[in-house]
Every structure is written in C-alpha cells, then in structure tokens.
Amino acid sequence: MNMSGEGPAGRLLALIGEHRTAVRAALDDEQYALLLTRLEALAAVVPDDGMAVRKACQGIRLALLALPFDHPVRAGLDAVRLVAAPPEPSVVMGARELMALMAPAPPPDTPDGTPDDILRAPALSRDEAHARCGGAAPPELIRLADPRGGERYPEFQFPEGCGSPYEVVMRVNRLLLADIDPWGAAAWWLSGNTWLGGTPAALLGRLPDQELVGAAAALVEGD
C-alpha cells in the first residue's frame, strides 16, 4: 500500500495503513486517539510548508513509540527521525487517505449533539455553577436556557465533585464562541468526534489539553 510517496515518511504511512488493525490492537484508547490527532494535524498542513510537514511527521512518529518493539510498524520510525531531507509534500494527502481508513465510527450510544441530548446530559443549576466559580460564572462557560429547568451549566465543564471550571474548557469555549452560540459549543463537547476518537467531554483529563484545543481550533479555522 503506497499512499504517500517513496520517502521515509511516506513509507511509514504505508506501513501504518498496511498494519492498521495491528496498530489499533497494540494501542490503548488514549494512545490511538493521540495517533489519530497527529494524523489529523499532518492532514491539515499546507503541503509546501516543509517545516510544518516535518514537525507533523515527527508527531506521528512520537505517537507510535508506544507500539511494542517487535511491531512491524516500528521498522519505519528511525528512518523518519534520521532523514535529513524534508518529507515529500504528498504525505499530506497520504495522511488524509489514511485517516479515512483508520478513523473509528462513534460508538452507537454516543450523543449526536441534538438539543434533547444536550439537555439530558448532567448539568449544574445557576446557583451550583456560581458556587463552584466562587461568584458569577464567567461568560466562557456554556450556559443553556432550559424552558423546563431554568439555566443549566453542563457538568463536564467542572472537575468531578468540586472545583472551579477546567481551564482547557474555558480555552476551547472561547474558540467555539460559547457566549454567542452555547448550543453549538455544547454540541461539539458532547458529540462523537471522529479524529479525537471519542466524545471531547469524555476525553477531558485523558488527552493532553493541547489536543482538545487543537481539535477545536481546526474546526474553527475550517469554517
């Protein structure tokens, strides 16, 4: 399977595609989600930006270091690290093709982000949210108007049990303009995300914060 050229980076992507079932089996959910995120980063790069392509390819290599030493894909990792020439631009298209093969479908019970799904998700009342914030809730928090229950603040925005809002939630909500479109922001957090490998709200604390921020930024920049 040659999806992206003859250089080391292209051969690595071809190895991933050829052994994709074995790659998935060898990585846990978090590691696999990270690999998909790194592939998405490469797929989003401008092909002629050699430095950005190189950086993205190295990110994929680092994500694959979690594979066992005897895994067939590891044979391509050192070549990507040691090569002096920049990766060929065609690896960007190769990453896009590979993502189509590897990206998992959301689980059947994953919410689809409709208003009813969002309102069924656990939420704090206005008073509860203000207590957790130590005062008025900041505008970055998703605040939903429920005609049956008043103001609702989706609970995923806060650490379980106690504490002020997650900083990464605030950062992502600013990107998603949650103060203007709270339902759209809530739908992003509570819907299955193909490239993150799950529902963003469920990945809080499991994926690096920057991966969540990057996924939201990619959505905004693509609009």
Side-chain angles (χ1 to χ4, degrees), residues 19 21-28 31 63-77:
H19 300 284
T21 302
V23 168
R24 180 64 188 96
L27 300 177
D28 63 28
Q31 292 164 341
L64 290 169
L65 289 176
L67 292 172
F69 285 106
D70 60 350
H71 196 284
V73 172
R74 286 192 70 103
L77 300 189

Side-chain angles (χ1 to χ4, degrees), residues 19-187:
H19 300 284
R20 58 189 180 275
T21 302
V23 168
R24 180 64 188 96
L27 300 177
D28 63 28
D29 290 347
E30 181 176 346
Q31 292 164 341
Y32 191 67
L34 177 60
L35 174 60
L36 292 178
T37 300
R38 297 290 170 79
L39 283 169
E40 181 184 16
L42 176 56
V45 167
V46 176
D48 293 335
D49 187 343
M51 183 66 70
V53 174
R54 182 194 294 275
K55 182 178 178 181
C57 288
Q58 291 298 335
I60 292 170
R61 176 187 171 275
L62 291 173
L64 290 169
L65 289 176
L67 292 172
F69 285 106
D70 60 350
H71 196 284
V73 172
R74 286 192 70 103
L77 300 189
D78 284 343
V80 172
R81 178 174 64 88
L82 297 173
V83 68
E88 58 274 24
S90 58
V91 298
V92 174
M93 182 57 68
R96 295 170 185 170
E97 295 172 358
L98 185 54
M99 284 168 59
L101 292 175
M102 295 183 65
D109 59 349
T110 297
D112 62 9
T114 65
D116 284 344
D117 282 323
I118 293 169
L119 289 177
R120 279 195 293 266
L124 303 181
S125 69
R126 178 181 181 276
D127 289 345
E128 290 170 332
H130 285 204
R132 295 284 289 271
C133 295
E140 292 91 343
L141 281 185
I142 297 169
R143 181 177 67 255
L144 304 173
D146 180 358
R148 295 162 294 185
E151 286 188 0
R152 295 170 58 88
Y153 291 78
E155 192 173 24
F156 71 81
Q157 300 178 105
F158 300 85
E160 185 175 357
C162 63
S164 56
Y166 286 109
E167 179 58 33
V168 66
V169 168
M170 306 279 277
R171 292 173 61 192
V172 169
N173 285 351
R174 282 193 289 268
L175 287 170
L176 299 177
L177 301 179
D179 57 329
I180 298 173
D181 182 17
W183 292 95

Side-chain angles (χ1 to χ4, degrees), residues 105-113 117 189-193 197-200:
D109 59 349
T110 297
D112 62 9
D117 282 323
W189 280 107
L190 295 169
S191 300
N193 187 295
T199 303

